[in-house]
Amino acid sequence: MSSLVIYGNEFNGHVQNGLNPANFKYRFLAEGDSWMDRSAMFHTSLSQALAANFDAQGDDVLFIIIAMFGDTLRRMGEQASGDFRMWLRTDFPAWKFDAILLSAGGNDFIDAARNPDPGMGLLKNMAALAGTALAPATGHDCVRADAVAALVTGYLDPNFTALYNVVQNSRHADVPIFLNNYDTPVARNAPAFPGGRAWLYEAYCKNNIPPALWPDLTDSIFNEVQTTIAGWAMGHHNVFSVPTDGTLVPAKASDSGSSGDWLNEIHPNRSGWAKLAVVWREAIQKVL
């Protein structure tokens, strides 16, 4: 039997057509953003690549996806009483999930850099600081440490804890949670679709960051992302961060389409997902 990746709202229809979750070796609940979503927009996803990788090892897995493209951890935590709690409820059938896969936090950082007015989010406004003693000399200096601290302590940590507590207050309290720790992208004008918005590229332009500082700035932002997510694993029982930084071939900053292992600015392409799936399967199988 082959692995199967389905959305949560497709489950009942599959059961009516003969699906029996107990027949799979593993059953995973996948929550989060587009990295976990079974998204046709990106041709494939981490969950689909991971299903193929498990199949290649002779292990069939059922993935139930409640992730959503563009979702933030802030919204997930605030809505933890919704679908996430429902899938972990105590009156479910006899089978349990073997693991919970979560990809969250990246969109929160990107939104905090891109959406506010210049200088009001995670980034300093270089136009306002140019020629002054406060003008950043490196990409790292372009990040507002106070804004990062407020984002992490005020929103990300509490909302991860809200999701974690849902698990701990369910019959799945002994089930491991695996966290996506992303890989570091390259800021470039490569949105998900023509006419769409590029993420980091737009944030950097909006805040007048010189392109020469972009590589260091992106490293700094994603170091904050990765450190935050690794901290959740260190601070909570049975939570594991899957470190994938440096797994993917970086894109060229001048490319506006698929480049290296990246389909667009912040999403891997098929080869990228396949590489990440290897790391994920190995991390999961060390625990299960």
Side-chain angles (χ1 to χ4, degrees):
M1 185 170 65
S2 298
S3 295
L4 179 64
V5 181
I6 62 173
Y7 282 119
N9 61 9
E10 299 170 338
F11 178 74
N12 288 336
H14 280 275
V15 170
Q16 292 172 6
N17 287 322
L19 173 69
N20 182 359
N23 290 337
F24 291 84
K25 182 173 181 177
Y26 300 121
R27 291 149 294 275
F28 297 156
L29 178 66
E31 169 66 300
D33 52 32
S34 55
W35 280 53
M36 204 61 69
D37 190 3
R38 190 198 67 185
S39 177
M41 179 180 293
F42 304 120
H43 306 291
T44 186
S45 65
L46 178 57
S47 55
Q48 289 168 305
L50 194 50
N53 195 274
F54 271 104
D55 279 346
Q57 302 299 314
D59 295 329
D60 51 329
V61 182
L62 173 64
F63 293 80
I64 295 179
I65 310 297
I66 57 174
M68 183 173 63
F69 167 75
D71 213 352
T72 61
L73 179 59
R74 181 176 182 177
R75 194 208 69 85
M76 292 176 216
E78 291 172 348
Q79 302 298 320
S81 60
D83 281 355
F84 190 67
R85 187 185 299 274
M86 185 276 291
W87 280 102
L88 301 173
R89 67 179 188 253
T90 57
D91 59 344
F92 224 49
W95 59 274
K96 288 175 61 179
F97 289 107
D98 296 284
I100 296 168
L101 315 182
L102 176 65
S103 178
N107 284 337
D108 297 82
F109 269 88
I110 290 172
D111 286 356
R114 184 179 67 169
N115 293 346
D117 290 337
M120 302 304 294
L122 289 189
L123 303 180
K124 299 175 181 177
N125 180 7
M126 283 290 290
L129 299 176
T132 74
L134 298 177
T138 69
H140 176 76
D141 295 332
C142 296
V143 179
R144 290 183 52 210
D146 60 328
V148 171
L151 174 65
V152 173
T153 61
Y155 296 99
L156 298 186
D157 288 351
N159 283 296
F160 175 76
T161 298
L163 290 176
Y164 178 78
N165 287 341
V166 169
V167 178
Q168 296 309 298
N169 292 324
S170 75
R171 66 190 183 95
H172 289 80
D174 60 337
V175 170
I177 302 171
F178 294 91
L179 306 178
N180 178 30
N181 214 339
Y182 302 94
D183 199 342
T184 302
V186 172
R188 59 195 180 103
N189 190 15
F193 52 88
R197 302 170 68 190
W199 298 267
L200 300 169
Y201 174 88
E202 182 172 317
Y204 297 175
C205 290
K206 185 176 187 176
N207 286 277
N208 304 285
I209 310 293
L213 300 183
W214 290 9
D216 183 47
L217 175 55
T218 304
D219 284 343
S220 294
I221 291 174
F222 273 80
N223 181 64
E224 297 287 357
V225 174
Q226 292 152 3
T227 299
T228 299
I229 294 170
W232 300 336
M234 293 177 62
H236 297 83
H237 173 68
N238 217 17
V239 177
F240 303 89
S241 171
V242 182
T244 51
D245 192 34
T247 300
L248 305 181
V249 175
K252 294 181 179 179
S254 59
D255 287 347
S256 60
S258 185
S259 179
D261 284 327
W262 296 85
L263 181 65
N264 52 53
E265 190 187 42
I266 64 170
H267 298 100
N269 55 25
R270 190 174 297 276
S271 67
W273 291 127
K275 292 178 181 179
L276 293 172
V278 173
V279 179
W280 268 80
R281 178 186 54 77
E282 292 175 350
I284 291 171
Q285 290 189 321
K286 285 180 181 179
V287 176
L288 298 186

